[in-house]
Amino acid sequence: MAIKALVTAKERIAIRSGGHAPLAGSNNLQSGVTIDLSHSNSIQYDGDSELVIFGPGVRWKHIYTVLQEHGRIVAGGREGETGVAGFLLGGGNTWFTAQKGFACDNVVSYDVVLADGHIVTAKKGAHDELFRALKGGSNNFGVAVSFTMSTIPYQNIWGGTTMSSKEHIPDAIRAVARFTTNLPSHLGSSLIAGINYVPQVKDIIIGGALVETQGRQDAPAFAEWSNHWLDESATWFTLTIKNDTRIMCKAAEVHDLLVNDLKSYIPEGDFYTQCIFQPLPLTFAKHSVEVGGNVLGIEHNGFDGFILQLNAMVKTADQDNFAYQRVKAGIQTIKQFAEAEKGLLDWIYINYADRSQGPLRSYGEENVKLMERVAETYDPNGVFQTLCPGGFKLRKGAS
C-alpha cells in the first residue's frame, strides 16, 4: 500500500535494501521518500524442494549461515556483507558462475510490488517476460520484496588470498589469461586478479582471490598462480575486454599512471585503488541459456573476456572529484586501446558501472526491447522511470 500511496501523491521514491551500490542516489534521495527494506529479512529453507526464500533486507552472509546447517549453499555474493536485492537484479557474478550461471539464473521466482500496489509472483510459466527482465534489468519494473532461489549441495569450499610485489604483475597477467582460457576444464575453480595501490605499504601490489568450490586446496587450475604468489567515497568504472594480455598490460600501465596522479593531489594514506580482472569466458553464458536465459546478453559475446574494474576510494568530496576525473580518463584510454586491438566487448556489467556508462543498452537490442515491453506492461505510467530515479533507467534522461 505504501507504493500505491506514494505514487498517487506523486512523491519521488528511493528503494533501499542492502545499500551496496556505489553510485550516489542509487538507494536514497533528497526531497522524497526512501523505502527501507532492511527489516524484510526473513530466511526460510524448504528441505523438500531444496529452495530458499528470503527478503531483500538480508545479506548473503545471513543466507549462507542458515544454509550451512543443511549442507547447502546458493550461487550468491562473493562478499558476505553485500545485499541480495541489487546483486540479483543486476545479474550477480559468483564463485559458481562457471557451473551454475549468474546468480539471477538461480532465482526460481520473484515477488514484486508493482506501481499500482499489486503483488505478482514472476516465475517460469507465470509472468514469464517479467521474470526474465528481472534477471539483470535492475529496478525498472517494480519493488522485489521476496526471492526464491535453488540451492546447491556442498561439503567443503576452499579459498584464500594472495599478495605480491608489483614486479610480478606481468607474470600474473599471463597466469590469469591462461586460467581464463582453461576454465571450461576447471569449472569449480575461480580466480580474481587485482592490481591495487595499498596505502598500508604505500605501493602497488598484485593480489588474487582464489576459490575452489569442490574444496581442493591443490586444484590444478591454480598451479601456475601458486608458483608465483604464496601468500568513504568510491569511483567505479568497468569495461569488458577480450582475454588478451596486451590489453591487460595496458590496463596495468594505466593503473600505474592513475596512482601517480592521485599521489600528486591526495596524501598517500588517503586513497586505495583497484584494477581488477574477473574472467568472463564464453562458458559462463551456457547455464543462463539452459535455464531459460536472462537479459544480460552475454551469450552474444564473441570471445573469452574479462570484466575489468578500475576504481579509486578516497576520503573527501574534493578528493573524490579529483579521482573521478582521473579514473574516467583512465578507463577511456583502456577502451580506446582495446578498440584498436579489436578486443572491446560492448557489454557492461551493471553492478560495476558508473552512472555515465549506460549498461542496460549494452545488453543488445532484443533484450532492451524486451525490458521496454515489460516496463510498459507492468508500469505503464513510467513510475519506476520517473518517480524512482535511482539506478540505471530504461528511458533516456529518466535517471
Side-chain angles (χ1 to χ4, degrees):
M1 296 301 294
I3 290 289
K4 185 177 181 179
L6 291 169
V7 170
T8 301
K10 296 185 178 179
E11 284 281 357
R12 297 170 75 238
I13 306 165
I15 311 298
R16 177 183 172 88
S17 51
H20 186 70
L23 303 180
S26 291
N27 41 52
N28 55 41
L29 80 170
Q30 293 181 330
S31 303
V33 177
T34 296
I35 298 177
D36 188 346
L37 299 174
S38 60
H39 292 293
S40 180
N41 55 11
S42 65
I43 304 171
Q44 301 174 13
Y45 174 69
D46 184 339
D48 293 331
S49 65
E50 298 179 336
L51 300 176
V52 62
I53 305 169
F54 50 89
V58 302
R59 300 176 188 269
W60 290 108
K61 66 179 182 180
H62 303 134
I63 299 173
Y64 297 149
T65 299
V66 170
L67 292 181
Q68 185 176 8
E69 300 176 5
H70 304 280
R72 312 291 294 188
I73 199 167
V74 290
R78 294 172 297 195
E79 207 283 322
E81 290 292 342
T82 302
V84 300
F87 184 83
L88 289 171
L89 295 173
N93 196 6
T94 86
W95 297 123
F96 289 90
T97 302
Q99 303 170 74
K100 298 292 182 178
F102 277 73
C104 65
D105 297 313
N106 295 267
V107 176
V108 175
S109 67
Y110 303 82
D111 287 349
V112 184
V113 179
L114 304 178
D116 62 5
H118 285 90
I119 301 175
V120 300
T121 299
K123 60 183 180 179
K124 188 176 181 179
H127 305 282
D128 287 279
E129 286 202 330
L130 175 61
F131 181 49
R132 179 167 178 148
L134 289 165
K135 297 181 179 184
S138 193
N139 65 347
N140 281 284
F141 317 105
V143 181
V145 293
S146 181
F147 303 86
T148 301
M149 288 187 73
S150 56
T151 64
I152 306 165
Y154 88 103
Q155 292 182 327
N156 293 300
I157 292 177
W158 177 86
T161 59
T162 66
M163 185 172 68
S164 193
S165 53
K166 61 187 177 185
E167 62 263 26
H168 294 289
I169 289 174
D171 291 330
I173 286 174
R174 287 189 289 270
V176 74
R178 281 190 281 269
F179 174 90
T180 301
T181 298
N182 296 327
L183 191 56
S185 301
H186 307 285
L187 297 180
S189 301
S190 294
L191 169 62
I192 299 174
I195 303 169
N196 312 324
Y197 174 82
V198 180
Q200 290 86 345
V201 298
K202 295 184 178 180
D203 206 351
I204 295 170
I205 60 97
I206 175 70
L210 294 73
V211 167
E212 170 41 57
T213 60
Q214 305 303 316
R216 292 188 58 184
Q217 185 172 352
D218 60 346
F222 301 135
E224 183 176 5
W225 189 271
S226 299
N227 285 338
H228 295 283
W229 303 276
L230 298 173
D231 212 18
E232 172 3 309
S233 291
T235 289
W236 293 23
F237 279 86
T238 187
L239 291 175
T240 308
I241 60 172
K242 186 178 183 179
N243 180 12
D244 185 326
T245 57
R246 296 170 301 172
I247 304 172
M248 298 166 74
C249 287
K250 183 64 176 182
E253 175 189 315
V254 167
H255 174 263
D256 207 28
L257 294 172
L258 170 65
V259 170
N260 288 332
D261 269 354
L262 296 180
K263 283 182 178 180
S264 72
Y265 189 78
I266 303 173
E268 286 191 82
D270 284 4
F271 71 90
Y272 181 92
T273 68
Q274 294 179 310
C275 176
I276 300 174
F277 302 100
Q278 298 190 37
L280 189 70
L282 294 174
T283 191
F284 275 18
K286 176 183 176 183
H287 304 291
S288 301
V289 173
E290 287 175 348
V291 298
N294 52 45
V295 292
L296 297 174
I298 65 168
E299 67 273 13
H300 301 309
N301 289 347
F303 36 71
D304 290 342
F306 284 99
I307 300 173
L308 169 69
Q309 186 182 356
L310 186 66
N311 64 54
M313 286 147 277
V314 296
K315 291 186 175 181
T316 69
D318 178 58
Q319 292 174 354
D320 185 50
N321 181 61
F322 183 88
Y324 181 85
Q325 300 302 325
R326 271 67 186 175
V327 176
K328 185 176 182 178
I331 210 75
Q332 183 64 23
T333 298
I334 300 168
K335 181 179 180 180
Q336 290 172 351
F337 183 87
E339 285 179 325
E341 298 297 329
K342 302 188 186 307
L344 182 69
L345 287 160
D346 292 333
W347 186 73
I348 296 291
Y349 182 36
I350 193 171
N351 286 349
Y352 294 160
D354 177 73
R355 57 183 173 270
S356 66
Q357 294 193 278
L360 292 172
R361 297 284 157 184
S362 77
Y363 292 1
E365 183 179 356
E366 180 182 347
N367 286 322
V368 171
K369 287 181 177 179
L370 183 144
M371 290 187 290
E372 290 174 338
R373 187 165 64 247
V374 170
E376 178 64 28
T377 300
Y378 290 91
D379 182 21
N381 294 319
V383 168
F384 289 97
Q385 304 300 310
T386 55
L387 292 182
C388 184
F392 295 97
K393 304 285 102 173
L394 283 167
R395 287 188 186 176
K396 293 180 180 180
S399 57

